Amino acid sequence: DAGVIQSPRHEVTEMGQEVTLRCKPISGHNSLFWYRQTMMRGLELLIYFNNNVPIDDSGMPEDRFSAKMPNASFSTLKIQPSEPRDSAVYFCASSLAGVEKLFFGSGTQLSVL
Amino acid sequence: AQRVTQPEKLLSVFKGAPVELKCNYSYSGSPELFWYVQYSRQRLQLLLRHISRESIKGFTADLNKGETSFHLKKPFAQEEDSAMYYCAGAGANNLFFGTGTRLTVIP
């Protein structure tokens, strides 16, 4: 298994543009998490899904952020419109059951100019 | 609110010296705590969890309920231990992280 797969690895965009980050969890895992990593705040949980259903999105910073999980093998995190302060590394993680062990993707380095 | 706090953003030690990465927690109910590590150019990965009471790569972490701490310790640091370390706590179906400590082991 290739593990959790995220795309793109790097994204550079201009302020105001729409950004879509993608994640493919490990097959069979039923929980999926989106985190944002910054120097100042470390790892922040944005949203998590259980069996494709969003359980808690209280970490989503603003209405500009949205996340979907249309099926068990795919999730997206969208920022529209993007702003320079959204620049960060966005991680997706999945787990088989609860939070006993999370498997992280390689992350997407987002730069909004 | 449940949270974990890592007071040190940066920590440098010499090779062979003991290392302690601090983590304090604020928890309702029984705490369930973990340490995750991110080596350079690698994915964030689980290092150890307190319920297992295990030693991984020479690291141990003991839950101290009196001090509400879960410090990560290793008696003799190695250069390959240089990495970003995150303390984490389990909430209701989610995992919340501290801000991380970057450990540098000086040769």
Side-chain angles (χ1 to χ4, degrees):
Chain A
D1 195 332
V4 176
I5 299 173
Q6 290 187 247
S7 64
R9 291 295 303 273
H10 303 275
E11 177 78 34
V12 180
T13 190
E14 292 185 344
M15 182 174 63
Q17 296 296 308
E18 177 180 295
V19 174
T20 299
L21 311 180
R22 297 172 178 79
C23 175
K24 183 181 187 305
I26 292 173
S27 177
H29 282 192
N30 59 10
S31 294
L32 184 139
F33 307 79
W34 281 101
Y35 285 89
R36 179 171 65 177
Q37 182 186 46
T38 60
M39 287 288 290
M40 291 302 296
R41 302 168 73 102
L43 272 167
E44 301 173 278
L45 177 66
L46 300 176
I47 186 171
Y48 70 91
F49 295 84
N50 194 37
N51 293 322
N52 312 339
V53 176
I55 302 300
D56 184 358
D57 65 353
S58 59
M60 298 284 261
E62 300 172 32
D63 291 344
R64 298 184 296 108
F65 286 70
S66 62
K68 294 181 180 179
M69 192 165 185
N71 56 61
S73 59
F74 184 65
S75 177
T76 59
L77 177 67
K78 185 178 293 187
I79 308 173
Q80 166 64 20
S82 58
E83 296 182 2
R85 58 193 168 121
D86 302 330
S87 298
V89 181
Y90 290 82
F91 286 103
C92 175
S94 71
S95 70
L96 181 60
V99 296
E100 275 299 305
K101 187 173 184 178
L102 264 61
F103 292 82
F104 281 79
S106 300
T108 294
Q109 173 80 58
L110 174 65
S111 297
V112 183
L113 307 177
Chain B
Q2 299 189 120
R3 64 173 59 180
V4 292
T5 304
Q6 294 179 255
E8 303 150 322
K9 280 194 176 295
L10 303 170
L11 181 64
S12 295
V13 300
F14 285 100
K15 178 182 173 181
V19 60
E20 180 179 76
L21 295 138
K22 292 183 168 55
C23 174
N24 290 92
Y25 65 87
S26 173
Y27 235 98
S28 56
S30 297
E32 190 175 351
L33 297 165
F34 308 80
W35 277 97
Y36 275 75
V37 61
Q38 188 176 24
Y39 300 103
S40 178
R41 296 190 180 87
Q42 292 189 29
R43 303 180 182 203
L44 188 63
Q45 58 188 288
L46 177 65
L47 180 62
L48 54 80
R49 48 194 144 184
H50 93 270
I51 58 172
S52 301
R53 301 184 68 82
E54 57 202 343
S55 175
I56 303 294
K57 299 184 178 183
F59 284 98
T60 59
D62 293 320
L63 184 65
N64 185 322
K65 291 187 177 181
E67 296 182 357
T68 60
S69 68
F70 186 56
H71 302 329
L72 183 67
K73 301 178 183 179
K74 185 170 182 176
F76 307 103
Q78 303 298 314
E79 290 180 63
E80 55 265 30
D81 296 330
S82 295
M84 191 75 176
Y85 291 81
Y86 288 95
C87 182
N93 293 319
N94 66 353
L95 200 64
F96 49 93
F97 288 83
T99 50
T101 298
R102 180 167 297 282
L103 174 66
T104 300
V105 180
I106 304 166

